[in-house]
Amino acid sequence: MSASLALSPASWATGSIRLPGSKSISNRSLLLAALASGETEIRGLLESEDTRVMLTALATLGVTIVSCGTDAYRVFGVAGCFPVKQADLFLGNAGTAFRSLTAALALSGGHYRLSGVARMHERPIADLVDALRGLGADIRYLGAEGYPPLAIFPAAADAGGERRIGVRGDVSSQFLTALLMALPLTGRAAEIEVIGELISKPYVEITLNLMSRFGIEVRRSGWQKFAIAPGQGGKSPGLLTVEGDASSASYFLAAGAIAGGPVRVDGIGRSSIQGDLRFAEVLQQMGAEVDLGDHHVVVRAPRCGKLRAIDADLNHIPDAAMTLAVLALFADGVSTLRNIASWRVKETDRIAAMATELTKLGATVEAGADYLSVTPPAVLKRDVAIDTYDDHRMAMCFSLVCLGGVPLVINDPGCVAKTYPGYFADFARIATPVIAIDGPSASGKGTVAALVAEHLGYHYLDSGSLYRLTALAAVHAGVAWDDEVQVAAIAATLPAHFAEARVLLSGQDVTDAIRGEQCSQGASRVAALPAVRAALLARQRAYRQAPGLVAEGRDMASVVFPDAVLKVFLTASAEARAERRYKQLIGKGMSANIATLLQDLQERDARDAARSIAPLQQGADALLLDTTDLSVEQAVAAVLEWLKQLRHPRAATV
Ligand code: DC
């Protein structure tokens, strides 16, 4: 990915996203499956840098893990004993991997060295090391005291009996998580006491939930004491399916709350075990409309259009809380995010980074030791270049700013690969809606589509003209219309240019020529060739640009833009279409005969509907618009009304 990414102003976020797997669940599942006895198939594993780090580390430690299909891995558990007793592990900036492996390896009786990127070496780990030393572990700091890199040596033998340790809970809940997952390795009874207030409790709940799936029960007294009974080594549950990432979901749900919606995310819902799901509750408090299904969430903007400012303790959702800091730009007053001190020791000092970047956009920001107050600007600054501090969440959060209708630049966008390599492609899809319109010849779909595009300020794609241009270019090149290979080569490099209302082919004005009978026939012939359709696919998709696209033509809704938010099949009786065509021709001073026109249309309909490739038919998910008795204005109004209904369906019954 290049050094920066320019985001164009967007006005409407809508569509649906299948979430990548949860990072927290993926990395915990991998380690638990590796340490357990038996084979575990993990489905829906997140494919990202942080999980790659864990997969590589486990393989280095002698765990056999084989890929078995998309996002699926089979982990052969080592029953509590890593085969490799000496290893040097580089763990990037993956906190989930670093903390949990530190604990597991400290109790594994080997020599290990753990290091990461420079920022990882600035993230404190003393609380975990101290707790592990309390268990007899031999861990030494190789750099600054209290920070990675670490050297681990076999623990000294101890007297046995129940193990009791204390760990601080107010810097990172990952220390407790790491201990919980590693302690069963000792086979002995253990009790952990949390010293101080435990932060980010829902993440510990994820740990306990997953441990119980591996048959390891932890008795919990409040959030202070955690007891593990002896002899619970962990046994594979066989199959484990990773739910979608609730933190990643926050960007899309926020997009729906800011810019219309509906935005639907699939992969999390009522049944989710991730605390960040509760981000949806905060959106509700801000006035957004939220529908929570078992495995999906849908968000729409508040009916009044404006989000309410919030003042909230967000200790339970530290990651999704970052998304709220950017949402605060769109609220009706000062928003205060409290109890977020853990931000200071994450991928970057997130409180400082947020304050700096929000200020660049014109917000007034007050940053405390553990809180952030954001007063939105009257008008967002345009063309701001956002720095991302090698922090994936900074990049993802700030992409939302373009929904305020301002262009901006995200520096180092590639940092999203830590947890969501495909983020910007998914974001572009929901921030660039497509409306697909198809219908039979002379139904008026071109006119309606162009007017809808004009009304919305969207781009317009007349896909038929690309087939017409291909047919004409073939004639110019002396290539027969049924020469599939040659015509496809022409389509792939079509030197066509659309300027104002004119169409140019190799610089020559062919606006009228491509509408003639010869090009109509040629278009219909070349459009039946699969290689030609394939050659034009990427070109058509490239029309999808901010703020949106109205695409007209045969397979717009089915093949080219299957995720179009609105699919319209526009038709009219053959008689009405023949009459419209008749008036058109007469208007141009040409002679015409209604009966002949009607017969032509009926024959063409039959041919188009019978065609095996991209036949003319109303898709199952397309709305039928019969314009027989409608004026062009009425047809356009009907399409715009459907769009309005999409945003707020209940408006129809009010
Ligand atoms: O919409 P139109 O009349 O300009 O289309 C010209 C021809 O191209 C017509 O035969 C239908 C065909 N076509 C197609 O197969 N797929 C498209 N997306 C658009 C047009």
Side-chain angles (χ1 to χ4, degrees), residues 98-372:
F98 206 105
R99 281 69 179 267
S100 59
L101 283 169
T102 295
L105 294 176
L107 303 179
S108 288
H111 290 90
Y112 303 102
R113 187 174 177 281
L114 278 66
S115 63
V117 298
R119 173 63 187 168
M120 194 73 232
H121 297 174
E122 294 171 0
R123 299 174 72 181
I125 197 160
D127 295 338
L128 177 61
V129 170
D130 289 347
L132 289 164
R133 283 176 175 166
L135 288 168
D138 184 354
I139 305 173
R140 298 173 206 169
Y141 296 113
L142 296 173
E145 191 73 7
Y147 298 85
L150 303 175
I152 292 174
F153 297 90
D158 71 349
E162 183 180 317
R163 295 174 167 232
R164 281 170 187 276
I165 48 166
V167 65
R168 273 183 58 185
D170 56 355
V171 173
S172 168
S173 68
Q174 282 181 15
F175 300 154
L176 175 60
T177 280
L179 290 169
L180 285 167
M181 291 199 292
L183 273 169
L185 286 174
T186 66
R188 309 235 302 266
E191 189 177 279
I192 309 172
E193 184 167 354
V194 176
I195 303 160
E197 172 77 10
L198 177 64
I199 61 166
S200 313
K201 296 182 183 78
Y203 285 100
V204 174
E205 281 191 90
I206 295 177
T207 309
L208 297 179
N209 187 306
L210 291 172
M211 286 175 73
S212 103
R213 291 198 209 171
F214 282 86
I216 308 170
E217 293 305 330
V218 178
R219 251 185 319 108
R220 173 167 81 78
S221 320
W223 291 101
Q224 237 50 56
K225 283 204 172 125
F226 297 80
I228 300 169
Q232 300 193 83
K235 196 171 164 312
S236 165
L239 176 68
L240 204 146
T241 303
V242 178
E243 58 186 70
D245 194 293
S247 314
S248 298
S250 71
Y251 313 112
F252 302 107
L253 300 179
I258 295 168
V263 172
R264 174 182 166 125
V265 296
D266 284 285
I268 56 160
R270 241 191 303 270
S271 60
S272 173
I273 63 167
Q274 296 168 78
D276 269 2
L277 180 67
R278 294 186 58 196
F279 172 78
E281 288 171 16
V282 187
L283 287 182
Q284 239 163 354
Q285 282 167 29
M286 296 179 83
E289 294 180 9
V290 178
D291 290 327
L292 194 61
D294 282 341
H295 303 286
H296 72 264
V297 187
V298 181
V299 170
R300 293 181 165 82
R303 213 168 263 270
C304 69
K306 193 79 188 165
L307 290 161
R308 281 194 292 275
I310 44 149
D311 183 331
D313 182 329
L314 301 168
N315 191 272
H316 59 300
I317 52 168
D319 283 352
M322 288 180 73
T323 313
L324 293 169
V326 175
L327 260 181
L329 292 172
F330 300 91
D332 62 0
V334 186
S335 288
T336 305
L337 286 56
R338 299 188 190 278
N339 208 356
I340 51 168
S342 68
W343 282 22
R344 297 236 180 241
V345 293
K346 295 284 170 100
E347 279 79 342
T348 183
D349 176 342
R350 287 175 166 170
I351 292 186
M354 259 303 162
T356 305
E357 301 309 310
L358 289 171
T359 305
K360 280 188 192 170
L361 289 160
T364 306
V365 184
E366 188 185 317
D370 69 345
Y371 74 92
L372 198 67

Side-chain angles (χ1 to χ4, degrees), residues 445 462-465 467-468 515 523-524 527 533 540 552-556 611:
K445 62 186 189 297
D462 165 10
S463 61
S465 69
Y467 290 97
R468 290 171 181 273
R515 295 286 145 203
S524 149
R533 302 197 76 83
Q540 293 174 98
E552 173 241 310
R554 196 56 38 88
D555 54 352
M556 292 300 103
R611 171 169 122 179

